[in-house]
Amino acid sequence: MKKTHNYTCINCPLSCALELTEENGEVLEVKGADCKVGQKYAREEFENPRRVVSTTVRVEGGALPLLPVVSAAPIPKALVRDAVRMLSKLTVNAPVADGQVIYPDILGTGVDIIASRPLP
Amino acid sequence: MAYVNGQRPLPSRAGLVVVGGGVIGCSIAREATRFISDVVVIEKESDVACGTSKANNAEVHSGIGEDAGTLKQKLNVRGNQLYDEFVRGLGVELKRQGLLIVITQRTIPRDGGMPEEERMELLTRKIPEGIVAYGENAGIKGLRILTRDEVFRMEPNVTREAVAGVFDPTYGLISPYKLTIALAEHAVINGAKVFLNTEVTGFRVEGGAVRAVITDRGEIETPMVVNAAGVFADEVADMAGAGGFVIHPRKGATLLFDRQVTAEYVRSSVAEFRLPGQRTTQSKGGGAMPTAEGNLQLGPTAIETDDKYDTSISAEEIEEIFERFHYLLPDFPRDALISAFSGVRAPTLEEDFVIGASEAVRGFVNVAGIQSPGLASAPAIAEMVLGILHELGLSREPRPDFDPVRPAPPKFSELSNVERNRLIREDPRWGNVICRCETVTEMEVVNAVHSIIPATNMDAVKRRTRTGMGRCQGGFCHNRVAAILARELGIPVTEVTKDGEGSPVFLGVAKEFLGGAAR
Amino acid sequence: MSAIRRPQCVVIGAGPAGLGAALAAREAGLSDVMLMERDFELGGILPQCIHDGFGSIVFDQVLTGPQYAQRFIERVEKAGIEVKLNTMVLEMRGDRRITAVNPRDGVFELEPASIVLSMGCRERTRHQVMIPGYRPAGVICAGAAQRDINIEGLMPGRRVVILGSGDIGLIMARRFTLEGAEVEGVYEIMDHPGGLTRNVVQCLHDYDIPLHLSHTVTFIHGRKRVEAVTVARVDEALRPIKETERRVPCDALVLSVGLIPENELSKQAGVELDPLTAGPVVDERMHTSVDGIFACGNVVSVFDLVDWVTQTAETAGRGAAEYVLEAGRRKRKPPVRVTAGRNVKFVVPQLLREFDREIDLFFRVEHPERAARTRVLVDGEELYSRKAKMVRPPEMIKAGADPGGARKVEDITVEVVGDEEEA
């Protein structure tokens, strides 16, 4: 069965409204893109949308109560909320070095969660 | 510390109980401590000056705007004359910068059919002379007629439509909440006790005389009660069976501007003269005036409301104020608006003050219907009420141990650099600027929390120190003030409130809403 | 008070602008550079911007705010720049006398040979957009909420309405959601979002947060704490339509309604401000109207990208260093005003004094335009030209001009033209 999905291209201020048509997961057509970048973006958003996750985790004994953390690479979009929820249970001990791995291989994605600043 | 907060029990008896910790209640309490020490003030909010006293225009009127023969006018004129003596030793500044009453072309519209010569004669001579004669008759001194040129020399930003003016030099400004706090603290220094977060629920009346005040924290036996409960004065009087008047609340909104932009915009207060028929509301018309702290304010409006807690401001009111003052001050920088506030006034149906001993309940004194010019009249109201209390049996003997001075805490922004460094050497917290718009240091916040009438929430700190009152309205300092409050009060920061119960600043700690354990 | 110190350069504010300017001044040959910051650490607003999206121009890499800041902080620490934290400047005069205070040094005065202003900006508040209603707890600006949540670890709301779809508002919609709060919706008075499309998609669409365009908040309910807001659709003149009013229960109203450069100190010193940018009028070296006082970053004009803040900071820092090292030997030349041509609202810098090097020109357009071309004309000669598929007023655009050796200028114009129009 054919299905359409709508996306807004984020690659330039034109913000093209993209319409992707697929059948059983196979992309048939992308309409509305002003350029090839938009075509590619719609496919990625349909086939494997990924996002960088950033949040905070609690710190014991630090100069601040929270440590900002970020995924070292984008992870599947569908896992973002679960990743943040998982990290919300975590408490790390100060001091923390910039880039220190805080949670390796989050949700089996192969992507590490790292400290996004040093915290003495 | 002499002050007793809600944590401590009420005293079982007192020589005088004042209901209401506004400027009127605190004035009366302070004056009473000149004669007796066991005075108790009961206030239901978390701080003094939480009702009308915190949201008015800080004006010490001369009385020129009041109707001849009213109690209001009499007490206003007298109050103004007593003011300097009244605030001596309190550490609160009264600025008598004067009021400029501007007579404009629209005072008598051109198209009214009057010959032009006659019209100008009225506008430039007869009306100003009439204003001066009216004021002098009420006992106001120093009124002066100004020509059009003199008006502009005094206030260059006033409309070119001005034709003449009257300058009233006795008019002044004073911070109403700083005055109220100072009066309350001065009363406490002299033996009074102020109970916050304490609500009067009834009175014990026996044999036609008041015997005790009943509150949600217990009962205080007393032979004398002053009802200075502001917008709630009718309800409080009815609890004792000493009522018979109705307060119909009326709210007044005021716009407040960045003082860096508007400090020089008007020097005195400026009001437009309107003939009696031209007033559209009960407001005297308001004006453009610096606050006691130098911000310019425009207002107030006057809008009847059913709700004694209605301190909201409507879009229409904001527009009304701008429209009204656009005529008087055409080039006014409206972009410099930083805040707007609204206060509920407490007029009676008669629109005059209701001050007197109850005939039904001996020992019960009503001080009600105190709307503008209540702040200006406060010293005279206190004087009059003390007279009544003396009649009722309060000692007439001045206390030899009355301390005339209430020490005011230092304000960093007002000190010289030498004084600042002396304080910083004593305690480095004097060098930690918390509020950058108003240059308020950590030590001033700490001092406010531990003052005689302690500040226990954000607004109370703000009234004492000006934190959050500047152009960023607390954007940069709210979390720092909250952290100091939490630390000094020994409570979690999530329990810090804006202005008492039900107004938490934060609703939780990070991760709490996700089920993560609270810190 | 001890003898007055005379550093070669004092930088006021250690956000991205101040960090960049102090480093540039140091690297351009000044040995005595002092960096003043009122917070307890360096970085300004960056440490609270924990999301990614910084640095794509300066570092060709996508970083979070703290990561972007850290790259500069490490260099500042190694460069031998004197850093004064917890320090508030109380006064700055036109003769460059600065009075400042901190808990350790007390009140102290400085007479630097040059000053760089990098105080950044502040948020517009509810009263500046005149939202009627009560004044309860729970009305907060988006940047303040960001600091509460990301630095202090405190939640200013649990059921949130956001007014304004600028980037901070969008970012905070996602942040509140990820922290377990509920964002009822984002309301925007204009008919288009104020922030980048990327943020509309990744902060709102990803989390099914509705964006209500052409809507505003007309009343704040709740005497003690926010209980609800009234929202309404607006007409073409942006006036609320009474019949469309709707009450939305919430416990916080978060405002993202604009930023204002913080120029209170600049005004004290008599620095000329541009009413269009609300920041100092500067020349190609980011030199203000007051001799020896330079300015950069959001205090000059609110930039969208931190990368551009950094670029103006480098120009200002270098400019300050040259000014000091040349010690008055160079006379300030009379300026040429940079003309904002077709579909250009304003240009930073506003002035050009010496066209002796490649210069950056930042500008905003007046109205959206498709298939546009930006160009810079110097005395009629096109020195810069670049195509853009789309230009929009919320986005600062950067152009440049390279004289290829010092040259005299009588007229310089930045303009946006239709792509098919040829010069």
Side-chain angles (χ1 to χ4, degrees), chain B residues 97-118:
Chain B
Q97 95 286 33
L99 170 69
L100 173 62
I101 303 163
V102 183
I103 297 141
T104 68
Q105 293 285 1
R106 75 174 182 188
T107 304
I108 304 174
R110 275 199 191 82
D111 50 14
M114 191 183 289
E116 186 58 16
E117 209 167 299
E118 190 183 325

Side-chain angles (χ1 to χ4, degrees), chain C residues 285-353:
Chain C
R285 288 161 159 78
M286 304 305 283
H287 204 161
T288 71
S289 65
V290 176
D291 207 35
I293 299 185
F294 295 73
C296 57
N298 284 353
V299 82
V300 174
S301 174
V302 177
F303 291 84
D304 315 311
L305 286 179
V306 69
D307 301 79
W308 288 344
V309 166
T310 295
Q311 290 180 359
T312 63
E314 283 165 359
T315 306
R318 243 186 349 258
E322 276 177 30
Y323 173 87
V324 173
L325 297 173
E326 287 164 4
R329 268 169 299 161
R330 181 194 291 263
K331 277 265 174 290
R332 286 187 88 179
K333 301 217 166 66
V336 173
R337 191 155 256 290
V338 179
T339 306
R342 186 187 171 281
N343 197 14
V344 173
K345 194 171 178 199
F346 64 79
V347 185
V348 172
Q350 293 88 346
L351 304 177
L352 180 58
R353 282 181 206 275

Side-chain angles (χ1 to χ4, degrees), chain C residues 183-203:
Chain C
V183 178
E184 192 277 340
V186 177
Y187 295 81
E188 167 60 56
I189 193 166
M190 306 302 284
D191 60 5
H192 55 270
L196 301 172
T197 307
R198 173 190 148 97
N199 286 331
V200 174
V201 170
Q202 298 193 349
C203 299

Side-chain angles (χ1 to χ4, degrees), chain A residues 8-10 13-15 34-35 41 51 54-56 64-66 68 70 77 80-81 84 98 116-118, chain C residues 40-41 50-51 64 66-67 70 149-153 175 177-178 197-198 201 206-207 370 389-390 395:
Chain A
T8 309
C9 184
I10 65 168
L14 263 187
S15 306
D34 199 68
C35 69
Y41 173 76
R51 299 285 185 265
S54 57
T55 184
T56 54
L64 291 169
L66 296 173
V70 65
K77 181 178 131 181
V80 168
R81 275 176 187 256
V84 169
D98 188 16
S116 132
R117 62 168 286 170
Chain C
F40 75 99
E41 65 174 355
I50 63 164
H51 54 281
T64 66
Q67 287 173 330
Q70 193 54 31
I149 296 176
N150 293 344
I151 304 280
E152 315 285 340
R175 195 68 201 116
T177 306
L178 288 177
T197 307
R198 173 190 148 97
V201 170
D206 277 6
Y207 300 91
R370 290 180 75 111
K389 279 188 185 162
M390 177 88 184
E395 281 153 44

